[in-house]
Amino acid sequence: MNQILPSLFAADLMNLQQECTCLYEEGFQILHVDMMDGNFVPHIAFGPEQIKSIKKQVKMKLDVHMMVSAPERQIASVLETGAEMISVHYESTPHVRYVIDQIKQHGRKAGVVINPGTDTSLLKPLLNTIDYVLIMSINPGRPNQTFIEETIDRIRETKEMIGDRDIQIEVDGGVDEDIARKCIEAGASMIVIGSYLFADNKAHLKNLKRLEK
């Protein structure tokens, strides 16, 4: 099943609970939450305490995207938030396997994120341990970027490398309805949508939901 994951970073923070309630009522099942440390990426957003509070208030599952340096230092706190899905950047630590193992040992789904400049072949040693791959289609943590077209080829490469393993492909960054459709056709099954959804959500909600099949 294909799924659209609204990105909380693009929501109206002054009406966060209302927006999350609306998304849940529209049938969205997973909320994408960006955790930023101001080091691995230039912005700061949603630390573990904020994510824990969000988890208590929403009925959707949380997909926490750790855009932080040395995630092994914070993974215990992220696990305490109750988030069902947690992904870590391949580029953020030499101990990525340790972080994945911690996530899996706590019964959560573990993902590995790769930046646009990271070779997809580097995922090979991790394919027997992860539940999903998050392919960044923009450079992480920097606003006002457009979707990198080469991402479509990277989705196909990753899909072929995964083979018959039960691993999903997630895509994040600069995605609208048309791009989401292309990503799904290439092999992705989880599509993160941010500003396109929240900028005028009433106009786009229904069409985006039709992609979930």
Side-chain angles (χ1 to χ4, degrees):
M1 176 183 175
N2 302 321
Q3 291 183 296
I4 302 298
L5 283 61
S7 177
L8 196 63
F9 190 64
D12 179 1
L13 296 182
M14 297 302 292
N15 296 290
L16 198 57
Q17 189 166 10
Q18 180 181 345
E19 295 221 276
C20 289
T21 299
C22 175
L23 292 168
Y24 177 74
E25 290 176 347
E26 289 289 342
F28 291 98
Q29 299 177 16
I30 304 174
L31 188 63
H32 184 83
V33 183
D34 289 321
M35 178 180 175
M36 306 183 190
D37 65 353
N39 186 7
F40 184 71
V41 292
H43 293 282
I44 296 175
F46 300 120
E49 288 303 315
Q50 289 75 39
I51 297 170
K52 185 184 294 185
S53 297
I54 292 166
K55 180 61 182 170
K56 291 178 181 178
Q57 298 298 321
V58 303
K59 297 180 180 179
M60 293 174 282
K61 294 180 179 179
L62 296 189
D63 169 34
V64 175
H65 174 187
M66 294 184 71
M67 287 186 267
V68 303
S69 298
E72 62 272 14
R73 298 177 183 173
Q74 298 193 60
I75 188 59
S77 297
V78 177
L79 286 164
E80 289 177 0
T81 67
E84 291 86 356
M85 301 169 60
I86 303 171
S87 58
V88 56
H89 272 263
Y90 180 90
E91 307 87 0
S92 67
T93 176
H95 309 294
V96 64
R97 178 61 184 262
Y98 169 80
V99 181
I100 292 168
D101 287 345
Q102 291 296 301
I103 298 169
K104 297 291 287 184
Q105 287 171 15
H106 284 79
R108 318 297 171 79
K109 288 191 174 182
V112 172
V113 193
I114 54 171
N115 285 339
T118 300
D119 195 320
T120 58
S121 66
L122 293 173
L123 294 168
K124 287 182 180 179
L126 303 172
L127 290 179
N128 291 327
T129 65
I130 59 176
D131 298 292
Y132 62 105
V133 174
L134 172 49
I135 299 176
M136 293 301 301
S137 46
I138 59 172
N139 293 295
R142 292 170 172 81
N144 303 317
Q145 297 181 71
T146 57
F147 180 86
I148 298 172
E149 290 296 331
E150 289 81 4
T151 303
I152 300 299
D153 290 333
R154 287 162 61 77
I155 295 170
R156 293 193 183 102
E157 291 171 4
T158 304
K159 183 69 173 178
E160 183 176 354
M161 187 166 50
I162 288 171
D164 59 0
R165 297 178 181 88
D166 185 17
I167 299 174
Q168 290 184 279
I169 297 176
E170 182 175 355
V171 180
D172 181 10
V175 179
D176 60 19
E177 182 186 344
D178 291 336
I179 293 172
R181 188 173 288 105
K182 292 178 182 178
C183 291
I184 290 170
E185 290 172 353
S189 58
M190 296 191 294
I191 311 296
V192 178
I193 307 270
S195 57
Y196 179 79
L197 172 61
F198 286 100
D200 190 5
N201 59 1
K202 293 300 182 184
H204 298 144
L205 274 174
K206 301 299 183 183
N207 289 338
L208 288 170
K209 287 299 293 180
R210 291 192 186 102
L211 296 176
E212 296 189 333
K213 57 183 180 178

